[in-house]
Amino acid sequence: RKESLQQIAGTETIKSLSGGRSAVQNEVVGDLISEFNVSGGGADGVAEMSLDDLGAKLGGSYSDLGKITTGAVNKMVAQKLPGGFSTLNQVKQYLADVRMLGPG
């Protein structure tokens, strides 16, 4: 099922969006758990929660990039920037040292 972001209602669930494909559902839930560092029983029922409720539950605990996003950014940095930059941390260090930009 392909839809633009604007076409997806906040009442949808990961389960409904995955179209009954449990492998897709499990991959998305696993990535969310990893990205938002959810532990213990915090992951129970994630696939059945509405996207609005899921955002409210996970959004408040998100302060730094998680494992999934950091990996994607590092991959993009390694592919698109010159050889001296292979991770996001190297880019941050360059911006702080050479361009005198603060954290953020």
Side-chain angles (χ1 to χ4, degrees):
R1 162 177 168 177
K2 291 191 176 200
E3 297 177 15
S4 71
L5 188 58
Q6 292 77 21
Q7 292 174 305
I8 299 173
T11 55
E12 292 274 10
T13 66
I14 293 171
K15 188 173 187 173
S16 68
L17 291 171
S18 65
R21 296 184 309 260
S22 61
V24 172
Q25 177 181 314
N26 292 340
E27 182 178 353
V28 170
V29 169
D31 285 352
L32 285 171
I33 289 168
S34 180
E35 180 68 20
F36 290 94
N37 200 23
V38 176
S39 60
D44 293 343
V46 166
E48 291 82 20
M49 293 177 79
S50 72
L51 296 179
D52 287 336
D53 291 343
L54 185 58
K57 177 179 181 172
L58 299 177
S61 65
Y62 200 65
S63 59
D64 292 326
L65 296 180
K67 181 179 174 184
I68 303 297
T69 303
T70 298
V73 170
N74 284 340
K75 182 177 178 182
M76 186 274 309
V77 166
Q79 290 175 342
K80 303 294 181 185
L81 294 181
F85 301 104
S86 59
T87 67
L88 179 59
N89 287 334
Q90 289 174 320
V91 172
K92 287 180 179 180
Q93 193 64 49
Y94 169 81
L95 292 173
D97 294 348
V98 176
R99 300 295 179 181
M100 306 301 179
L101 295 175

